[in-house]
């Protein structure tokens, strides 16, 4: 191949000679793509249609050895690197401009050990991949609420999900990982091996290396009592107040989401969605208050296969649309927050947009703030504002709306964003990134100094080394 201009971590850029690129290609089992290759454009695209970056090279890794080769190649030439797991991150940090994208989309295998109640999944698997395999044995672990989200990014940032009331966050169910560090070394991290690193991988994001496989603890999960109840928008304040009271008083078996959104018939509505993971008879009693507020427009809470509830919101988040998200953790939901969300939702420029509260979950709250790198254990929930639209000409109006909602909500929140919803430092600023890691930031810097002193893995919610 001809010489190739690439972005580097020095910021100066470099030229790779064609022979070096050919040698790198030959060292891989999976394909290495550049802009002239078939499939390049499709591969560089991620879930958010707003993201339009062009890596100089994309290594479509077929296994751990390819990841090792890609990391070593990048490290030796100081290439700018990004890592793609499920490619679902809204700010699109999986794709870098001009550098090397290490693409794990071809690594999606999942193996369940039903006797031990564990599962091991490759770093590019999605929750749909994972849930399908584990549910074949009637097992599951806490996973993200959209089925095509990657297990990779979501787990490393903490991982909120329907089962967190009983089993904690996704990262609380992580048992071990296989990781390729910045110098191309392969390590196992678990409670007993490289325990400091294991601590950092449970909430510290993609800062410490490429995880080629994740091992999780599983739990018996049968059909759940789950689904949404919809209320007229005229009762939005009452519905969100009910949500607050309900979320504050539920048993471990339940987790919740409260939302304002536009129904398929074009009318704005308030919704409370629940997932009760336990006896349906007991669950019916617990959810009764949700049915008592005015006659609901629709009551879709019913016994549901777990894999189905994991796709409940998929249709609202179609791949390729334009997305801009803002969110923050909050310890309580005040009347002012409810008013602010209702008023701002009324003027959303796009009917596809929504605002929501996603509950952390009771078991997730019981873990200590420094027990894992995910520090926001005292949050009741994350509030979020998802701007969703189709036309690039409407980018500015939708982004402005999301920022305005976030500014209006900020005084009522902890001021800490969820790591998995914030983007690159240039967009977010250093302080917001530090706040997202909360009290654990300094310990994470110590780990970064040890495992990635040249900051190869910076194209994420970047923790800067000081070494
Ligand atoms: C519509 C929507 C719904 C969501 N719902 C939830 C939810 O219910 N719960 C929740 O907790 N979060 C949720 N999220 C946030 C989600 O956790 C993040 O978007 C997460 O980054 C997605 O992971 P991914 O692997 O698909 O990301 P990617 O875009 O592939 O990667 C994002 C970053 O994660 C890191 N990364 C990914 N895989 C690996 C790996 N194997 N090794 C090392 N680093 C890796 C890299 O730094 C990468 O840059 C949601 C996001 C969206 C857009």
């Amino acid at each position: 191949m001809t010489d190739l201009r690439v972005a580097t971590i020095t910021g100066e850029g470099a030229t790779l000679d064609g022979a070096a690129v050919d040698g790198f290609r030959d060292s891989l089992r999976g394909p290495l793509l550049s802009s002239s290759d078939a499939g390049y454009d499709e591969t560089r695209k991620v879930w958010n249609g707003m993201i339009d970056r062009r890596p100089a090279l994309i290594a479509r890794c077929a296994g751990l050895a390819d990841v090792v080769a890609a990391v070593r190649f990048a490290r030796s030439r100081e290439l700018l690197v990004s890592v793609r797991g499920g490619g679902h991150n809204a700010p699109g940090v999986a794709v870098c401009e001009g550098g090397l994208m290490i693409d794990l989309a071809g690594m999606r295998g999942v193996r369940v050990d039903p006797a031990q109640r564990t599962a091991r999944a490759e770093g590019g698997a999605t929750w749909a991949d994972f849930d399908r395999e584990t549910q074949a044995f009637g097992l599951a672990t806490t996973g993200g609420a959209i089925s095509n989200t990657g297990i990779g990014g979501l787990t490393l940032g903490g991982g909120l999900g329907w089962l967190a009331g009983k089993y904690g966050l996704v990262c609380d169910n992580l048992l071990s990982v296989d990781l390729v560090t910045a110098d191309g070394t392969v390590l196992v991290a678990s409670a007993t091996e490289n325990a400091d690193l294991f601590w950092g991988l449970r909430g510290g994001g993609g800062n410490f290396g490429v995880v080629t496989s994740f091992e999780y603890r599983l739990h018996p999960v049968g059909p759940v009592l789950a689904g949404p109840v919809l209320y007229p928008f005229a009762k939005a304040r009452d519905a969100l107040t009910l949500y607050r009271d309900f979320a504050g008083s539920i048993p471990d078996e339940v987790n919740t989401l409260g939302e304002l959104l536009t129904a398929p018939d074009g009318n704005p509505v308030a919704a409370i969605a629940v997932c009760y993971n336990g006896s349906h008879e007991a669950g019916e009693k617990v959810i009764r208050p949700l049915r008592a507020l005015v006659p609901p427009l629709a009551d879709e809470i019913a016994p549901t296969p777990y894999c189905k509830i994991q796709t409940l919101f998929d249709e609202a988040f179609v791949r390729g649309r334009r997305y801009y998200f803002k969110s923050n953790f909050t310890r309580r939901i005040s009347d002012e927050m409810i008013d602010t969300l209702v008023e701002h939702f009324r003027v959303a420029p796009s009917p596809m947009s929504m605002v929501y509260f996603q509950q952390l979950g009771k078991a997730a709250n019981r873990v200590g703030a420094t027990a894992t790198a995910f520090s926001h254990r005292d949050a009741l929930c994350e509030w979020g504002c998802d701007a969703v639209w189709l036309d690039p000409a409407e980018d500015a109006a939708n982004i402005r709306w999301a920022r305005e909602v976030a500014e209006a909500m900020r005084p009522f929140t902890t001021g800490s964003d969820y790591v998995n919803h914030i983007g690159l430092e240039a967009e977010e600023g250093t302080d917001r990134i530090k706040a997202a890691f909360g009290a654990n930031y300094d310990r994470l810097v110590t780990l970064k100094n040890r495992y990635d002193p040249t900051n190869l893995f910076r194209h994420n919610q970047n923790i800067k080394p000081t070494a």
Side-chain angles (χ1 to χ4, degrees):
M1 119 162 244
T2 52
D3 293 355
L4 189 66
R5 196 68 200 154
V6 288
T8 59
I9 56 175
T10 61
E12 286 163 13
T15 301
L16 288 181
D17 71 273
V21 177
D22 289 340
F24 176 36
R25 179 178 290 108
D26 291 346
S27 74
L28 299 173
R29 184 156 61 98
L32 179 70
L33 305 179
S34 62
S35 62
S36 56
D37 290 312
Y40 169 84
D41 264 324
E42 207 32 58
T43 310
R44 76 183 175 88
K45 283 185 196 149
V46 281
W47 167 81
N48 186 351
M50 289 269 284
I51 308 303
D52 185 24
R53 301 195 191 106
R54 302 180 67 82
L57 291 168
I58 303 175
R60 303 213 74 186
C61 297
L64 177 143
D66 282 0
V67 176
V68 171
V71 168
R72 289 191 177 155
F73 183 77
R75 169 78 175 243
S76 66
R77 287 161 177 83
E78 299 187 307
L79 300 186
L80 180 66
V81 164
S82 65
V83 178
R84 184 204 190 278
H88 201 258
N89 176 269
V93 293
V95 201
C96 60
E97 183 66 43
L100 170 67
M101 173 166 146
I102 299 178
D103 179 7
L104 307 179
M107 294 172 55
R108 291 170 57 173
V110 181
R111 184 174 189 281
V112 179
D113 181 339
Q116 294 299 317
R117 289 192 178 159
T118 60
R120 186 170 277 286
E122 286 185 291
T126 63
W127 288 106
D129 301 331
F130 187 86
D131 293 336
R132 180 175 163 80
E133 298 303 320
T134 57
Q135 277 286 279
F137 300 92
L139 300 169
T141 201
T142 311
I146 308 286
S147 74
N148 53 6
T149 309
I151 63 166
L154 189 138
T155 302
L156 294 170
L160 281 58
W162 285 123
L163 302 181
K166 208 162 171 182
Y167 304 127
L169 299 179
V170 178
C171 70
D172 299 330
N173 291 282
L174 191 63
L175 294 174
S176 73
V177 303
D178 293 339
L179 177 94
V180 180
T181 59
D183 62 1
T185 304
V186 180
L187 293 180
V188 172
S190 69
T192 52
E193 261 180 280
N194 299 303
D196 58 341
L197 178 60
F198 188 56
W199 173 88
L201 292 167
R202 287 174 291 158
N207 273 286
F208 306 108
V210 184
V211 178
T212 55
S213 88
F214 294 86
E215 184 193 14
Y216 301 91
R217 182 185 304 114
L218 302 176
H219 315 271
V221 176
V224 286
L225 185 66
V229 185
L230 304 186
Y231 308 96
F233 190 72
K235 293 285 176 192
R237 278 192 180 78
D238 294 341
L240 291 185
T241 305
L242 171 64
Y243 174 77
R244 168 182 68 199
D245 297 343
F246 185 75
S249 64
I250 47 175
D252 288 4
E253 283 79 5
V254 203
N255 216 0
T256 68
L257 258 156
E259 288 184 273
L260 302 177
L261 72 164
T262 303
D265 65 6
N267 287 311
V269 294
I272 299 178
V274 294
C275 176
Y276 187 95
N277 170 35
S279 126
H280 293 185
E281 199 186 351
E284 286 288 349
K285 289 193 189 118
V286 171
I287 63 163
R288 199 173 286 154
L290 303 182
R291 294 176 161 147
L293 173 74
V294 297
L297 293 172
D299 173 5
E300 294 167 14
I301 300 178
T304 310
Y306 177 70
C307 283
K308 188 160 180 225
I309 199 69
Q310 285 290 80
T311 63
L312 178 66
F313 299 112
D314 281 13
E315 281 178 17
F317 295 102
V318 175
R319 182 183 160 89
R321 287 182 182 165
R322 303 180 85 73
Y323 297 96
Y324 189 80
F325 290 4
K326 285 285 172 197
S327 68
N328 245 218
F329 287 111
T330 183
R331 295 189 188 96
R332 57 184 285 269
I333 299 173
S334 64
D335 291 346
E336 292 93 332
M337 292 176 87
I338 291 174
D339 288 345
T340 304
L341 284 184
V342 173
E343 290 318 314
H344 280 83
F345 181 71
R346 244 186 247 288
V347 296
S350 166
M352 290 180 214
S353 297
M354 62 197 81
V355 294
Y356 68 88
F357 295 109
Q358 180 171 14
Q359 188 164 4
L360 221 64
K362 292 286 172 81
N365 289 137
R366 283 195 288 268
V367 177
T370 57
T372 66
F374 180 94
S375 67
H376 311 286
R377 298 292 182 165
D378 58 352
L380 172 66
C381 57
E382 184 199 26
W383 85 266
C385 151
D386 295 352
V388 188
W389 68 104
L390 298 176
D391 184 352
E394 293 165 9
D395 285 1
N398 283 283
I399 292 170
R400 192 182 322 116
W401 173 73
R403 286 182 176 156
E404 282 169 6
V405 188
E407 278 315 303
M409 289 292 278
R410 195 165 278 274
F412 311 124
T413 71
T414 61
S416 296
D417 301 62
Y418 179 25
V419 162
N420 274 339
H421 282 152
I422 54 174
L424 298 172
E425 194 175 357
E427 153 89 356
E428 309 288 358
T430 311
D431 289 349
R432 187 168 286 178
I433 290 179
K434 279 188 180 169
F437 294 106
N440 290 329
Y441 185 76
D442 289 345
R443 188 168 165 193
L444 287 164
V445 172
T446 305
L447 278 181
K448 186 79 175 176
N449 289 341
R450 180 156 171 212
Y451 290 100
D452 186 14
T454 67
N455 205 4
L456 185 69
F457 299 110
R458 64 179 62 195
H459 208 274
N460 47 40
Q461 305 78 18
N462 181 19
I463 295 166
K464 284 194 192 127
T466 51

